[in-house]
Amino acid sequence: MGIHGLQKLINDHAPGAITETEMKNLFNRKIAIDATMSLYQFLIAVRIGGEGQPAAANLTDESGETTSHLQGLFHRTIRMINNGVKPCYVFDGKPPDLKAEELAKRAAKREEAEKNGKEATEAGDTETIAKFAKRTVKVTRKHTEEAKRLLTLMGVPVVDSPTEAEAQCARMAKEGLVYGAGSEDMDSLTFGASVLIRHLTFSEARKMPIKEINLSVVLEQLGLDMNQFTDMCILLGCDYADSIKGIGPVRAFDLIKKHGSLEEIIKNLDSTKYPIPESFDYVRVRQLFKEPDTLPASQIDLKWKDPDEEGLIEFLVKEKGFAEDRVKSGIEKLKKSRGTSVQNRLDSYFGAPVKRKLEEPKKEKGKGAKKAKTGGKAAASPVKKGAGKKK
DNA sequence: GCTCTCTCTGGAGACGGG
DNA sequence: TCCCGTCC
DNA sequence: ACTTCCAGAGAGAG
């Protein structure tokens, strides 16, 4: 997924488009997130390492149904909301035709893995079973429905995209419905997202910084318009077409600057030196990036609500076997964060004074590590960040 | 010297008790 | 603050 | 998608 080498090209030629943001810059920001990608990650990652464990070592409820996606989604979403972010999750619809080839490849791979897994099961080879389990991971309709139910109970809006969620997120950002698209995929920019936010899954300070990439600055600093940028992305290599051997980031950028469009580039390219691959239907790919089948902002209504406490207990604790105290503490974080966010919005609307009573130093029980969000702007920058950096 | 390709490396969810 | 067992 | 994938860094080929 993504555009090959685009991150580096932007690093090199449009560094001003990249901002390392702090959490406060995302406070009250609405961000559209590809839900399917997130669920996939959780299904892959949230597992019990299986020495002697049964094969599919996901977290499960009593009846053996997987709950890894719910566990991951619940906590990650709480984390974001707890930091003032307003996430909405966008779900995939039908994939575009141009992706059929790519999807067929993936399906074949999965089938092969399933076959191997089955043979291992018959042989009772638990190690091999576990090995192939991760390759057969697939986000099912059931996972999706459960994720939507959970998010709705949490008061988080969900959006159904007609086609690719990534394209829908981009359009929502483009049309100003949200601040940006939260994704690791650079093709968000090719789909026209005004702002792409990478490494949003901030795990406190121990992880990578959050990076914002601003599309208009990218275009400005590269000296390209959006059509030229799109053509360059196709040249770099995307999910929907093969790339041309021998054309990398440097030549792609050069060529688009020189000729302005793929038509002109191909016309002027030495085809013996750089043969055009057969499946290089750049006209259709260009069209797909430019006008993907997505909903306009006017047809989407985003509302963040208070969590349904009873509903969450019923779903997560009674049906899915989550620990009640953990779910309750999660709900408390949601309620508290929402209160803060509403309060803050009213404050800024009415020009309220700085003084507030929300200065509880303990954001979590017992852990004073995080800076208490005092009302004043005491320049309370967490200075102690770059601690254990040994390398 | 420049550019692409190859190879190697490291990291890949989140929580929380100790 | 980090490590690592656990989350379900 | 961890028996993989990706990004970054450095070496080497054209």
Side-chain angles (χ1 to χ4, degrees):
Chain A
M1 299 284 291
I3 308 294
H4 190 256
L6 181 57
Q7 175 70 71
K8 184 167 161 43
L9 192 142
I10 292 174
N11 285 344
D12 294 346
H13 295 99
I18 305 171
T19 318
E20 290 203 358
T21 69
E22 297 177 37
M23 221 166 293
K24 66 179 181 186
N25 295 331
L26 293 174
F27 193 85
N28 269 350
R29 294 291 198 198
K30 301 172 184 175
I31 297 175
I33 298 166
D34 182 337
T36 312
M37 269 300 135
S38 305
L39 297 184
Y40 203 85
Q41 275 188 325
F42 294 134
L43 290 173
I44 293 290
V46 184
R47 283 162 182 269
I48 305 292
E51 304 289 306
Q53 292 272 355
N58 281 109
L59 306 183
T60 61
D61 62 16
E62 269 186 355
S63 60
E65 295 291 332
T66 296
T67 52
S68 294
H69 56 309
L70 301 175
Q71 167 80 10
L73 191 62
F74 185 61
H75 288 289
R76 179 184 285 181
T77 305
I78 285 169
R79 156 154 288 175
M80 286 194 279
I81 290 174
N82 207 28
N83 282 293
V85 174
K86 300 172 90 167
C88 70
Y89 284 88
V90 179
F91 288 82
D92 271 320
K94 197 170 151 253
D97 294 342
L98 280 168
K99 215 179 185 176
E101 204 176 307
E102 168 72 14
L103 291 177
K105 274 185 212 162
R106 291 186 203 174
K109 252 187 188 174
R110 189 163 54 234
E111 236 168 75
E112 176 70 15
E114 270 164 15
K115 204 179 79 183
N116 290 332
K118 205 170 282 181
E119 284 170 11
T121 306
E122 282 160 14
D125 183 352
T126 51
E127 224 171 278
T128 312
I129 296 170
K131 161 175 143 185
F132 286 108
K134 289 190 181 181
R135 297 198 218 169
T136 59
V137 166
K138 191 175 160 191
V139 179
T140 64
R141 179 163 295 273
K142 187 169 165 62
H143 295 141
T144 299
E145 294 310 316
E146 287 175 341
K148 286 180 186 175
R149 182 178 171 197
L150 174 62
L151 290 167
T152 303
L153 288 170
M154 292 174 78
V156 174
V158 303
V159 174
D160 281 309
S161 172
T163 57
E164 301 223 75
E166 204 62 54
Q168 182 69 64
C169 291
R171 182 162 186 188
M172 290 164 71
K174 184 182 181 178
E175 298 183 357
L177 190 63
V178 297
Y179 173 71
S183 173
E184 303 311 310
D185 262 347
M186 293 303 286
D187 55 9
S188 299
L189 294 173
T190 321
F191 278 118
S194 50
V195 173
L196 168 61
I197 302 163
R198 305 194 79 199
H199 311 140
L200 179 57
T201 61
F202 31 71
S203 180
E204 293 303 293
R206 57 182 116 105
K207 278 206 159 177
M208 296 165 134
I210 303 164
K211 286 186 180 174
E212 285 187 28
I213 306 177
N214 184 305
L215 178 58
S216 63
V217 180
V218 169
L219 297 178
E220 186 191 319
Q221 298 204 344
L222 293 183
L224 302 175
D225 63 29
M226 192 59 197
N227 290 331
Q228 295 169 334
F229 178 73
T230 305
D231 278 7
M232 185 185 72
C233 288
I234 296 171
L235 216 42
L236 288 172
C238 65
D239 286 350
Y240 310 107
D242 291 329
S243 54
I244 304 171
K245 262 284 194 215
I247 306 289
V250 176
R251 290 196 179 112
F253 188 40
D254 264 4
L255 288 167
I256 202 70
K257 291 286 258 185
K258 195 165 169 188
H259 301 295
S261 74
L262 271 168
E263 279 82 358
E264 290 301 310
I265 289 170
I266 289 173
K267 211 180 286 179
N268 289 281
L269 203 60
D270 180 349
S271 63
T272 56
K273 207 167 161 192
Y274 301 108
I276 310 295
E278 267 186 44
S279 58
F280 194 69
D281 193 352
Y282 66 88
V283 176
R284 285 185 68 206
V285 178
R286 179 195 279 157
Q287 177 66 16
L288 176 66
F289 277 128
K290 203 168 178 176
E291 290 179 1
D293 184 8
T294 45
L295 299 173
S298 60
Q299 286 182 30
I300 301 169
D301 187 28
L302 299 181
K303 286 263 194 311
W304 285 263
K305 302 174 184 166
D306 282 325
D308 176 347
E309 190 161 357
E310 286 176 16
L312 283 169
I313 297 285
E314 167 65 28
F315 184 31
L316 293 182
V317 178
K318 299 204 174 132
E319 293 181 31
K320 295 298 173 185
F322 280 52
E324 181 160 7
D325 56 343
R326 289 186 185 224
V327 173
K328 280 191 169 165
S329 101
I331 292 170
E332 286 313 306
K333 285 185 189 172
L334 289 175
K335 282 158 71 174
K336 187 172 171 183
S337 301
R338 181 166 164 78
T340 307
S341 156
V342 170
Q343 181 68 43
N344 188 284
R345 200 179 66 228
L346 292 176
D347 280 358
S348 70
Y349 185 80
F350 291 113
V354 193
K355 172 150 198 262
R356 281 188 289 127
K357 292 189 72 172
L358 299 171
E359 305 179 5
E360 283 298 327
K362 41 165 190 208
K363 252 193 139 86
E364 304 141 61
K365 42 150 83 168
K367 283 197 128 173
K370 269 190 68 163
K371 82 158 188 180
K373 195 177 258 189
T374 57
K377 47 183 78 176
S381 177
V383 194
K384 50 174 172 188
K385 259 191 165 159
K389 231 51 327 145
K390 49 175 66 168
K391 228 174 179 217

